[in-house]
């Protein structure tokens, strides 16, 4: 996504947000040119450390050489492991191969693993780091908008199961997150749009003013205007950091971050976790449905779902089940009910939904009856 608006003059000093977790606290740095500054930043954090960089073929093409140059210039010994891109990489087979590869590279307890990539690479690498020698430290260098605002922050790591997405994993916090907005220039527009859905999520769950700001500034963000982009990423990361600091292991508050996810994960499972429907696209539809469901249950004012839907439409995102390719064949009522019952957000066989009282006022609901859900889904198929 080339943009003439993206200039390196803008905001040279990175913005820094701390995820406060006692001795496991860490910083998220957001700014320009951070790949080039990674070497000195990491050397200052861990003098004399050795690293393995885990990335995928697409990301490696654009961003591996600058990162390695920066590490080498700072005197940091490093090797790279380049995996196939795509959600299929979040599998047991790939995890096992990656862990063996890291052992072969002699990564020890005091060394570092760097995840250079989007959500798939971050989740898989973080999980590998959590089990390698019972846990080695890792750094997230997220290269997609989705990873910068969500998956790289907060320590959720893992792989997919045939029963659903992210069902196997561990909480393992990174020791640093570097969000370089320059890397977003090479992101495909569709991937960028999907990541934007996660940005909107923060406004919808806890910050109506941010949602209104996004309604006014989305076009600037899509133009990669550095100030707008940094404000959007910073606001998202600040909210995520605050929520994770309060509820690291998702006993309560953190569940709000799953707005749209109970629906969305079912759509992803039924479309095969592939290019047919990206995670951000699935949760965009899921968030509209969460507002429609909230309206139908008289929890929020009528008209809010339309407002959310029209923002996602402006953002070139799918907003209804019929927008999913081959929906009529694969998104059936029975299949949806089955997948939603298997989602990891099910507790003691109860469905857990994130619903809303207003824009910016999401809450966790544990009392939705399967029959109520079924009736709602029937109307939306
Ligand atoms: N992406 C949801 C969470 O990190 O909790």
């Amino acid at each position: 996504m080339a943009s003439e608006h993206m200039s390196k003059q803008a905001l040279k000093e990175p913005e820094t947000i701390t995820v406060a977790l006692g001795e496991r606290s860490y910083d998220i740095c957001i700014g320009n040119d951070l790949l080039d500054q990674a070497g000195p930043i990491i050397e200052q954090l861990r003098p004399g450390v050795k690293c393995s960089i885990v990335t995928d073929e697409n990301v490696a093409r654009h961003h591996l050489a600058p990162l390695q140059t920066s590490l080498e210039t700072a005197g940091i010994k490093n090797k790279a492991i380049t995996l196939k891109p795509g959600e299929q990489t979040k599998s047991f087979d790939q995890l096992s191969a990656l862990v063996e590869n890291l052992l072969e590279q002699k990564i020890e307890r005091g060394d570092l693993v760097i995840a250079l990539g989007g959500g798939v690479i971050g989740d898989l690498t973080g999980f590998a780091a959590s089990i390698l020698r019972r846990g080695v430290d890792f750094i997230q260098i997220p290269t997609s908008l989705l990873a910068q605002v969500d998956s790289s922050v907060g320590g959720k790591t893992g792989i997919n199961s045939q029963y659903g997405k992210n069902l196997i994993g561990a909480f393992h916090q990174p020791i640093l997150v570097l969000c370089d907005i320059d890397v977003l220039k090479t992101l495909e527009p569709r991937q960028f749009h999907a990541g934007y859905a996660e940005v909107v999520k923060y406004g919808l769950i806890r910050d109506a003013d941010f949602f209104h700001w996004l309604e006014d500034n989305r076009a600037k963000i899509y133009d990669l205007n550095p100030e707008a982009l940094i404000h959007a990423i910073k606001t998202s990361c600040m909210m995520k950091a605050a929520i994770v600091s309060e509820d690291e292991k998702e006993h309560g508050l953190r569940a709000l971050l799953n707005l749209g996810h109970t629906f969305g994960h079912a759509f992803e499972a039924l479309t095969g976790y592939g290019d047919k429907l990206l995670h951000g696209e699935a949760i965009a539809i899921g968030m509209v449905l969460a507002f429609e469901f909230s309206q139908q249950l008289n929890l929020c004012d009528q008209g809010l779902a339309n407002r959310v839907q029209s923002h996602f439409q402006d953002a070139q995102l799918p907003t209804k089940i019929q927008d999913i390719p081959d929906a009529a064949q694969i998104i059936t009522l029975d299949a949806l009910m089955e997948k939603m019952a298997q989602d990891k957000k099910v507790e003691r066989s109860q469905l857990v939904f994130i619903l809303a009282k207003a824009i910016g006022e999401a809450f966790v609901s544990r009392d939705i009856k399967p029959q109520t859900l079924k009736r709602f889904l029937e109307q939306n198929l």
Side-chain angles (χ1 to χ4, degrees):
M1 283 188 89
S3 168
E4 64 214 35
H5 299 291
M6 185 78 112
S7 79
K8 291 201 170 161
Q9 275 76 49
L11 297 171
K12 274 218 175 306
E13 276 301 306
E15 300 272 355
T16 302
I17 295 160
T18 301
V19 183
L21 287 167
E23 61 182 16
R24 289 174 297 108
S25 297
Y26 56 95
D27 285 343
I28 307 165
C29 299
I30 304 159
N32 294 108
D33 262 347
L34 289 179
L35 269 193
D36 294 341
Q37 295 172 46
I41 294 172
I42 294 170
E43 175 57 21
Q44 198 178 16
L45 192 67
R46 287 290 160 87
V49 81
K50 172 168 113 241
C51 301
S52 278
I53 304 164
V54 183
T55 189
D56 73 30
E57 287 163 3
N58 293 341
V59 173
R61 205 171 311 126
H62 300 292
H63 307 304
L64 182 58
L67 176 61
Q68 288 194 296
T69 304
S70 172
L71 295 176
E72 273 146 30
T73 309
I76 300 174
K77 287 205 187 80
N78 67 88
K79 284 190 180 151
I81 298 170
T82 304
L83 306 176
K84 291 252 173 276
E87 194 73 34
Q88 310 308 328
T89 297
K90 274 174 67 172
S91 68
F92 258 124
D93 285 353
Q94 292 289 330
L95 175 72
S96 145
L98 175 57
V99 171
E100 297 291 351
N101 211 333
L102 291 167
L103 289 171
E104 195 182 313
Q105 291 193 355
K106 300 196 167 42
I107 288 296
E108 295 177 1
R109 285 295 279 280
D111 296 329
L112 270 179
V113 181
I114 299 177
L116 173 71
V120 167
I121 288 295
D123 286 5
L124 173 75
T125 306
F127 190 31
S130 81
I131 56 175
L132 186 74
R133 299 184 190 277
R134 299 201 176 87
V136 298
D137 287 340
F138 84 114
I139 290 177
Q140 291 269 21
I141 306 188
T143 58
S144 68
L145 181 59
L146 182 138
Q148 294 194 347
V149 297
D150 182 36
S151 60
S152 70
V153 176
K156 277 191 182 176
T157 72
I159 55 174
N160 300 330
S161 145
Q162 59 167 321
Y163 295 106
K165 200 174 149 79
N166 298 330
L167 291 181
I168 303 149
F171 285 98
H172 187 54
Q173 300 291 343
I175 62 159
L176 175 71
V177 181
L178 292 180
C179 296
D180 182 344
I181 61 163
D182 290 317
V183 303
L184 301 175
K185 288 183 211 169
T186 57
L187 202 59
E188 280 176 27
R190 187 177 166 209
Q191 293 284 350
F192 187 88
H193 303 163
Y196 180 74
E198 296 278 7
V199 175
V200 177
K201 183 183 80 178
Y202 293 102
L204 296 179
I205 59 178
R206 281 235 291 198
D207 190 345
D209 288 347
F210 183 48
F211 180 75
H212 301 153
W213 182 85
L214 290 171
E215 287 184 314
D216 293 340
N217 290 280
R218 186 206 52 78
K220 279 194 201 158
I221 295 170
Y222 272 40
D223 243 359
L224 299 184
N225 172 289
E227 285 83 6
L229 198 48
I230 287 179
H231 180 72
I233 296 170
K234 185 182 163 194
T235 308
S236 303
C237 287
M238 276 169 60
M239 195 184 304
K240 178 122 194 202
I243 290 175
V244 168
S245 300
E246 219 175 291
D247 178 25
E248 182 185 9
K249 301 232 165 125
E250 200 170 308
H251 298 302
L253 183 67
R254 186 166 181 169
L256 294 183
L257 296 172
N258 296 325
L259 177 68
H261 283 56
T262 308
F263 294 111
H265 279 171
F267 301 145
E268 283 185 277
L270 294 174
T271 49
Y273 301 121
D275 273 355
K276 223 175 214 181
L277 190 70
L278 303 177
H279 175 66
E281 295 171 336
I283 63 146
I285 302 171
M287 285 190 267
V288 174
L289 286 174
F291 271 83
E292 274 171 6
F293 204 17
S294 304
Q295 271 178 205
Q296 191 167 96
L297 297 167
N298 286 319
L299 297 165
C300 72
D301 289 346
Q302 304 299 310
L304 290 189
N306 273 351
R307 186 164 176 186
V308 173
Q309 183 170 31
S310 81
H311 186 62
F312 282 137
Q313 275 165 348
D314 289 348
Q316 298 156 57
L317 282 157
T319 60
K320 51 188 187 306
I321 294 177
Q322 291 76 12
D323 292 339
I324 300 171
D326 305 323
Q329 287 79 49
I330 51 180
I331 316 286
T332 62
L333 184 61
D334 288 348
L336 264 184
M337 288 298 291
E338 193 194 318
K339 288 292 174 204
M340 289 172 92
Q342 267 166 6
D343 195 75
K344 70 180 183 316
K345 279 161 279 306
V346 173
E347 287 170 12
R348 295 195 184 105
S349 302
Q350 273 187 316
L351 290 161
V352 181
F353 277 94
I354 312 306
L355 299 175
K357 291 184 195 144
I359 285 176
E361 284 182 51
F363 68 98
V364 182
S365 160
R366 291 190 169 78
D367 57 8
I368 300 295
K369 307 238 173 337
Q371 275 315 317
T372 313
L373 172 65
K374 209 167 176 179
R375 267 198 308 278
F376 172 71
L377 288 172
E378 262 164 357
Q379 293 158 16
N380 283 280
L381 282 168

